[in-house]
Amino acid sequence: MKIVVIGGSGLIGSKLVDRLGAQGHEAVPASPKTGVNTLTGEGVADALTGAEVVVDVSNSPSFEDAAVLEFFETSTRTLLAAASDAGVNHYVALSIVGCDRIPDSGYMRAKVAQEKLIVASGLPYSVVHATQFFEFLKGIVDTATDGDTVHLAPVLIQPMAADDVAAAVAEVALGAPTNSVVEVAGPEQFRLDELGRSLLADQQDRRSVVADPDARYFGAKLGERSLVPADGARLAGTALDDWRARAGRGH
């Protein structure tokens, strides 16, 4: 099949292109780097010509509230129109577990807006909700740092490896449209503050972590289960220690 991966030059997109290509599919990376701009529409129609599946794993270059909303709404409208014109029969988008439960976050509101456009489009679709990636945990800690202290809410988190995210998205993309949300998550649950301490200890980082129920997560207040999936989620195989061992070997 010809499968166009929007955001195909990024962390998940590049892994997805490699995985689909290895399975014998024509996986086409589409991003500004390849001359495809979903905000202006440049190159989109040409990229989607002959595609059976479109997978959107793109991300906004700015996380500012208005900019991220404009990115996902404009980009998604452009892609949906082009996908409809091209006769695409499966539209897949990667989103975030809990995005509909964290309305304080402008980024999460933008992801919800993206999903609503997809659902309303009439195209056969699947939306994959993934939990936070192991690769982004350092960024979560850094964002929550004030001086030498890290303020993290003691809520549940169930992160997963980027490789497993790509594998899950590939599996969904190659299957029949679900016309629903598919949740994927890592195999282990942690408390966010405890995970932060573990990460800093592993990196011999001297910052201290404070369990702060009022701590904000990219501007949003979290509930106990804001970041974890519902029962029935597809669980990935890579545990945190296994990922750390692989990352430590440079893989």
Side-chain angles (χ1 to χ4, degrees):
M1 286 193 293
K2 179 179 177 180
I3 303 171
V4 178
V5 180
I6 308 297
S9 304
L11 174 66
I12 302 300
S14 57
K15 292 177 183 293
L16 188 56
V17 168
D18 289 347
R19 182 175 288 271
L20 292 170
Q23 295 181 43
H25 299 285
E26 182 190 354
V28 180
S31 71
K33 288 182 181 177
T34 66
V36 177
N37 189 318
T38 56
L39 293 179
T40 65
E42 178 192 358
V44 174
D46 287 344
L48 267 57
T49 299
E52 296 175 60
V53 182
V54 169
V55 185
D56 184 4
V57 294
S58 63
N59 208 353
S60 173
S62 168
F63 285 10
E64 188 274 324
D65 285 3
V68 73
L69 181 62
E70 181 181 1
F71 174 85
F72 280 115
E73 288 192 330
T74 302
S75 177
T76 302
R77 287 192 179 103
T78 299
L79 287 169
L80 289 169
S84 179
D85 290 345
V88 167
N89 53 31
H90 192 183
Y91 191 99
V92 182
L94 176 61
S95 191
I96 305 166
V97 162
C99 63
D100 53 341
R101 301 194 296 268
I102 312 177
D104 290 350
S105 163
Y107 187 87
M108 298 297 188
R109 291 197 300 271
K111 294 300 288 183
V112 170
Q114 176 192 24
E115 293 180 27
K116 286 180 177 177
L117 289 169
I118 294 167
V119 172
S121 72
L123 285 172
Y125 75 92
S126 303
V127 172
V128 180
H129 275 192
T131 54
Q132 289 67 31
F133 311 160
F134 293 144
E135 287 80 358
F136 290 167
L137 293 178
K138 183 180 184 300
I140 293 172
V141 170
D142 289 346
T143 302
T145 296
D146 181 10
D148 291 328
T149 305
V150 184
H151 291 261
L152 293 171
V155 299
L156 294 172
I157 186 170
Q158 196 168 336
M160 63 190 296
D163 281 336
D164 288 343
V165 177
V169 174
E171 183 181 347
V172 169
L174 295 174
T178 64
N179 295 311
S180 65
V181 169
V182 176
E183 287 196 320
V184 298
E188 306 163 293
Q189 282 190 355
F190 306 90
R191 292 283 170 184
L192 180 56
D193 61 313
E194 293 170 357
L195 186 59
R197 283 189 201 93
S198 173
L199 180 73
L200 293 179
D202 187 58
Q203 296 179 345
Q204 298 181 324
D205 189 314
R206 293 183 177 277
R207 283 177 288 175
S208 61
V209 175
V210 173
D212 180 355
D214 294 320
R216 297 281 160 161
Y217 178 84
F218 297 102
K221 186 169 170 56
L222 296 174
E224 170 76 355
R225 300 187 59 83
S226 296
L227 302 178
V228 296
D231 293 340
R234 300 182 187 184
L235 299 186
T238 306
L240 177 60
D241 286 346
D242 295 334
W243 177 80
R244 277 177 172 162
R246 286 212 301 260
R249 294 197 301 270
H251 297 300

